[in-house]
Amino acid sequence: MSSSNTRRTALDATHRALGATMTDFAGWDMPLRYASERDEHVAVRTRAGLFDLSHMGEITVTGPQAAALLDFALVGNIGGVKPGRARYTMICREDGGILDDLIVYRLADAEYMVVANASNAQTVLDALTERAAGFDAEVRDDRDAYALLAVQGPESPGILKSLTDADLDGLKYYAGLPGTVAGVPALIARTGYTGEDGFELFVKPEHAVELWQALTEAGRGVGLVPCGLSCRDTLRLEAGMPLYGHELTTSLTPFDAGLGRVVKFEKEGDFVGRAALTGAAAEAEQNPPRVLVGLVAEGRRVPRAGYQVVAGGQVIGEVTSGAPSPTLGKPIAMAYVDAAHAAPGTEGVGVDIRGSHEPYEVVALPFYKRQK
């Protein structure tokens, strides 16, 4: 993609002033890291980190049949989400393949915000628009209407409390409420992609810089640092969270990905992919698909996506994500492996790294779970 087509967030000048290493991500110029990605990772685990996530795709669905449309278009029971709450769900093709994983916020009785991954935002928008035919509901592209900042880590509630009088103590995980943060109107959501407690703040782009600066100032005394996409990836990997294009693709159904629980067959009416997913669920019971597991290296070599997982001279799976884990101090990976080799502690499993079969321990996901 040529630089002239690359999109920039409202915080672009701020990132450059902070000396960020920038990278093209899904057509956006985004900060990869500011200094040391390991230090940024550790800050989120032990103190707090501040992220610009304005590349995510916000799509608003409104109208008397907004809930009915989303129940038809997505695999989850969206009509059952109470106002002020959010749900993790997926949008699938007719054949059950995953188009994207999403978070859907119910902002009001007849208003929802669908948040899609940056790389799939247009695909999701197009699919929702197409599936809205015949429903009394409007699908609106709101990608330019929001900047999105995230404060993640154990110090994040204290940092945010110093800037808002919103009831953060009463704000549950996967819930959102309108409020004012440092004088800026925001949707305050208790969500994140790091495995830590934290908040995502949806604001108008023109308020992004002042909010970033206010959060930076409020977090200075407790060690908050700006964080890029690189540590976001190692944080979510340690937390066992899937990344679209790695653990989730159109060639996998939610059942293949071990996430069949997001498919709500009990909801009323048809939904896109229902027939195919009914078959996939039955097939998964009869014939377990490959299982997503954690792998921890015994040595120092880092596995990467696409590397083969081997046992007894046979290929038994494939790595989907791999990186050095700052928390464990060892290379880790997520991989889909044959069910016979998926049990934690299974011996004799290795990863083919450039022709050398490096030994790995099979572990249950996630690698890291915060202490409540």
Side-chain angles (χ1 to χ4, degrees), residues 5 16 33 54 108 125 129 203 211 250 259 309 314 354 363:
N5 290 335
R16 292 170 196 279
R33 72 181 73 81
S54 302
L125 177 67
T129 303
V203 300
L211 182 56
T250 50
L259 291 166
V309 183
Q314 301 293 313
R354 297 190 184 88
V363 300

Short mmCIF file of all heavy atoms in Angstrom, two decimals, residues 5 16 33 54 108 125 129 203 211 250 259 309 314 354 363:
data_model
loop_
_atom_site.label_atom_id
_atom_site.label_comp_id
_atom_site.label_asym_id
_atom_site.label_seq_id
_atom_site.Cartn_x
_atom_site.Cartn_y
_atom_site.Cartn_z
N ASN A 5 -1.93 6.33 0.66
CA ASN A 5 -3.19 5.71 1.04
C ASN A 5 -3.22 5.29 2.51
O ASN A 5 -4.23 4.84 3.01
CB ASN A 5 -3.45 4.46 0.19
CG ASN A 5 -3.77 4.83 -1.25
OD1 ASN A 5 -4.23 5.93 -1.50
ND2 ASN A 5 -3.49 3.94 -2.18
N ARG A 16 4.87 10.31 16.95
CA ARG A 16 6.15 10.69 16.35
C ARG A 16 6.97 11.54 17.31
O ARG A 16 8.19 11.38 17.40
CB ARG A 16 5.91 11.40 15.01
CG ARG A 16 5.36 10.44 13.97
CD ARG A 16 4.87 11.11 12.70
NE ARG A 16 4.05 10.16 11.96
CZ ARG A 16 4.52 9.19 11.17
NH1 ARG A 16 5.82 9.05 11.00
NH2 ARG A 16 3.71 8.36 10.54
N ARG A 33 6.43 0.27 18.58
CA ARG A 33 7.01 0.38 19.93
C ARG A 33 7.52 1.81 20.08
O ARG A 33 7.74 2.51 19.09
CB ARG A 33 8.14 -0.62 20.12
CG ARG A 33 9.41 -0.30 19.36
CD ARG A 33 10.50 -1.33 19.55
NE ARG A 33 10.21 -2.57 18.84
CZ ARG A 33 10.44 -2.73 17.53
NH1 ARG A 33 10.92 -1.74 16.80
NH2 ARG A 33 10.17 -3.88 16.95
N SER A 54 -7.01 3.40 17.62
CA SER A 54 -7.97 4.10 16.77
C SER A 54 -8.14 3.45 15.39
O SER A 54 -8.99 3.87 14.61
CB SER A 54 -7.56 5.56 16.61
OG SER A 54 -7.46 6.20 17.87
N ALA A 108 -27.87 1.44 23.84
CA ALA A 108 -29.23 1.81 24.23
C ALA A 108 -30.15 0.70 23.73
O ALA A 108 -29.69 -0.26 23.11
CB ALA A 108 -29.62 3.16 23.62
N LEU A 125 -18.36 -4.47 7.68
CA LEU A 125 -19.32 -3.44 7.28
C LEU A 125 -20.14 -3.89 6.07
O LEU A 125 -21.38 -3.77 6.06
CB LEU A 125 -18.58 -2.13 6.97
CG LEU A 125 -19.44 -0.98 6.47
CD1 LEU A 125 -20.38 -0.47 7.57
CD2 LEU A 125 -18.56 0.18 5.97
N THR A 129 -24.15 -4.67 6.14
CA THR A 129 -25.00 -3.88 5.24
C THR A 129 -25.83 -4.80 4.35
O THR A 129 -27.05 -4.60 4.17
CB THR A 129 -24.13 -2.95 4.37
OG1 THR A 129 -23.35 -2.11 5.24
CG2 THR A 129 -24.98 -2.08 3.47
N VAL A 203 -13.73 8.02 22.07
CA VAL A 203 -13.94 9.48 22.11
C VAL A 203 -13.92 10.03 20.68
O VAL A 203 -13.53 9.34 19.74
CB VAL A 203 -12.84 10.19 22.94
CG1 VAL A 203 -12.85 9.69 24.38
CG2 VAL A 203 -11.45 10.01 22.32
N LEU A 211 -6.91 13.90 25.72
CA LEU A 211 -7.15 12.77 26.61
C LEU A 211 -5.85 11.96 26.81
O LEU A 211 -5.53 11.55 27.94
CB LEU A 211 -8.25 11.87 26.05
CG LEU A 211 -8.62 10.68 26.93
CD1 LEU A 211 -9.02 11.12 28.33
CD2 LEU A 211 -9.74 9.85 26.28
N THR A 250 -11.09 -17.66 7.76
CA THR A 250 -12.31 -18.11 7.07
C THR A 250 -12.30 -19.62 6.85
O THR A 250 -13.34 -20.21 6.59
CB THR A 250 -12.47 -17.41 5.70
OG1 THR A 250 -11.24 -17.52 4.98
CG2 THR A 250 -12.84 -15.96 5.86
N LEU A 259 -13.92 -22.41 20.00
CA LEU A 259 -14.74 -21.31 20.51
C LEU A 259 -16.21 -21.50 20.16
O LEU A 259 -16.95 -20.54 19.95
CB LEU A 259 -14.22 -19.97 19.96
CG LEU A 259 -12.84 -19.55 20.52
CD1 LEU A 259 -12.25 -18.43 19.69
CD2 LEU A 259 -12.97 -19.12 21.97
N VAL A 309 4.28 -28.41 13.81
CA VAL A 309 4.44 -29.10 15.09
C VAL A 309 4.57 -30.59 14.78
O VAL A 309 3.80 -31.13 13.97
CB VAL A 309 3.24 -28.84 16.03
CG1 VAL A 309 3.45 -29.49 17.38
CG2 VAL A 309 3.02 -27.34 16.19
N GLN A 314 6.13 -37.38 12.72
CA GLN A 314 4.93 -37.00 11.97
C GLN A 314 4.55 -35.55 12.25
O GLN A 314 4.75 -35.06 13.37
CB GLN A 314 3.74 -37.90 12.37
CG GLN A 314 3.96 -39.36 12.15
CD GLN A 314 4.07 -39.73 10.68
OE1 GLN A 314 3.25 -39.29 9.87
NE2 GLN A 314 5.09 -40.50 10.33
N ARG A 354 13.36 -24.49 11.05
CA ARG A 354 14.38 -24.58 9.99
C ARG A 354 15.08 -25.95 9.98
O ARG A 354 16.31 -26.04 9.95
CB ARG A 354 15.41 -23.45 10.13
CG ARG A 354 14.79 -22.06 9.96
CD ARG A 354 15.86 -20.99 9.87
NE ARG A 354 15.24 -19.67 9.81
CZ ARG A 354 14.93 -18.94 10.89
NH1 ARG A 354 15.17 -19.42 12.10
NH2 ARG A 354 14.39 -17.76 10.77
N VAL A 363 1.06 -27.15 27.06
CA VAL A 363 0.42 -26.63 28.26
C VAL A 363 -0.99 -26.14 27.93
O VAL A 363 -1.31 -25.86 26.78
CB VAL A 363 1.23 -25.46 28.89
CG1 VAL A 363 2.63 -25.91 29.27
CG2 VAL A 363 1.29 -24.26 27.96
#
